[in-house]
């Protein structure tokens, strides 16, 4: 059973999301919070698997709340997946949410099926990279960051093949697409991705995308 916490300052949004998710046999909404501070407190007490986190909220915004949930001060032994809820008119602190460990983004007006899929994807340990909004957000905000060249020291830990796999991950390709592109088995691709994350100390594919842009493996629009 996937345990979910909804953090949003709009009660109608919380009610709507709860109704959708509670209708699923493999999901249960264990709590709600109307601002980031309450979200952090309830996350620590309820220990959900997935937190649906609004970006703009009073008292404590979604970025600060995500940092508290996933940062060094998080509850020992508990590290939920955080899925950011956003609209198109976003602020540049969204990019920082990726860097501190958010597992992806979901538009508030997404269809119910997309919401349910998103929760299952991040609960399963994957990053939500499929929706076009995620890659566009990454490209927009990485473009504003100072980037290193592809010869950065951090990349020296990777083999040539791992570097190529990382480049394709940063382009938003799935394991199946990478396998087809490189003419290797999908399981081999999964192994490469796992080793890349381990070597670079990255949490998931979202952070791998950020790393790829920051280190010049790919460029926005490239």
């Amino acid at each position: 059973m996937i345990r979910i916490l909804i953090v949003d300052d709009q009660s109608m949004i919380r009610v709507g999301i709860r109704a959708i998710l509670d209708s699923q046999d493999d999901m249960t909404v264990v709590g709600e919070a109307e601002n980031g501070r309450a979200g952090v407190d309830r996350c620590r007490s309820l220990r959900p698997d997935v937190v649906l986190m609004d970006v703009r909220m009073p008292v404590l915004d979604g970025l600060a709340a995500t940092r508290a949930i996933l940062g060094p001060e998080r509850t020992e032994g508990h590290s939920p997946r955080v899925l950011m809820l956003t609209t198109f008119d976003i602020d540049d602190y969204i990019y920082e949410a990726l860097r501190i460990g958010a597992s992806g983004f979901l538009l508030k007006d997404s269809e119910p099926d997309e919401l349910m899929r998103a929760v299952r994807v991040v609960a399963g340990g994957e990053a939500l990279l499929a929706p076009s909004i995620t890659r566009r957000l990454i490209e927009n905000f990485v473009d504003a960051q100072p980037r290193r060249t592809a010869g950065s020291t951090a990349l020296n830990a990777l083999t040539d093949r791992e570097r190529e796999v990382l480049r394709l991950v940063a382009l938003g390709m799935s394991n199946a697409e990478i396998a087809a592109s490189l003419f290797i088995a999908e399981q081999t691709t999964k192994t490469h991705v796992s080793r890349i994350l381990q070597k670079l100390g990255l949490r998931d594919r979202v952070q791998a995308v950020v790393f790829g842009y920051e280190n010049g493996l790919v460029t926005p629009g490239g």
Side-chain angles (χ1 to χ4, degrees):
M1 185 69 71
I2 303 172
R3 295 166 50 82
I4 304 156
L5 173 66
I6 303 169
V7 185
D8 194 295
D9 63 331
Q10 299 181 52
S11 60
M12 289 186 65
I13 294 290
R14 298 197 306 271
V15 169
I17 292 176
R18 175 185 279 272
I20 292 170
L21 299 182
D22 273 344
S23 70
Q24 301 301 296
D25 293 339
D26 61 338
M27 300 180 190
T28 181
V29 175
V30 296
E32 301 176 16
E34 67 281 1
N35 60 63
R37 172 51 58 197
V40 172
D41 293 341
R42 287 168 196 167
C43 185
R44 289 171 176 166
S45 62
L46 298 173
R47 302 174 73 87
D49 302 307
V50 175
V51 179
L52 298 180
M53 179 72 72
D54 188 18
V55 172
R56 296 172 176 167
M57 291 180 291
V59 184
L60 194 69
D61 64 41
L63 175 59
T66 298
R67 183 181 294 110
I69 289 172
L70 300 178
E73 67 272 31
R74 69 179 183 273
T75 303
E76 186 175 355
H78 180 234
S79 185
R81 295 284 170 165
V82 177
L83 185 61
M84 307 299 293
L85 300 175
T86 186
T87 58
F88 280 111
D89 56 333
I90 47 158
D91 294 324
D92 58 6
Y93 59 42
I94 300 297
Y95 172 66
E96 184 63 20
L98 287 175
R99 299 186 66 179
I100 62 179
S103 292
F105 296 90
L106 189 69
L107 292 174
K108 286 189 176 182
D109 60 358
S110 296
E111 295 295 326
D113 285 349
E114 188 174 357
L115 170 63
M116 292 182 290
R117 174 186 172 276
V119 170
R120 292 187 177 105
V121 166
V122 299
E126 295 295 326
L128 189 68
L129 292 175
S132 59
I133 182 66
T134 302
R135 184 176 174 191
R136 189 157 61 249
L137 285 169
I138 294 170
E139 290 189 347
N140 286 343
F141 296 122
V142 175
D143 192 37
Q145 308 297 317
R147 289 189 300 278
R148 298 176 282 276
T149 67
S152 296
T153 303
L155 291 170
N156 293 340
L158 305 181
T159 65
D160 289 342
R161 174 62 86 185
E162 289 168 346
R163 190 176 302 199
E164 178 63 12
V165 169
L166 175 58
R167 186 182 71 83
L168 297 179
V169 168
L171 287 173
M173 295 176 67
S174 67
N175 286 343
E177 291 169 334
I178 294 172
S181 176
L182 298 180
F183 302 101
I184 59 178
E186 186 172 350
Q187 183 57 50
T188 301
T189 300
K190 291 180 180 179
T191 300
H192 283 314
V193 172
S194 178
R195 288 176 178 169
I196 289 166
L197 298 180
Q198 182 178 23
K199 285 183 177 182
L200 298 179
L202 303 175
R203 176 186 173 95
D204 55 27
R205 293 174 80 98
V206 167
Q207 290 195 331
V209 171
V210 172
F211 182 93
Y213 277 102
E214 286 187 327
N215 288 274
L217 282 179
V218 289
T219 57

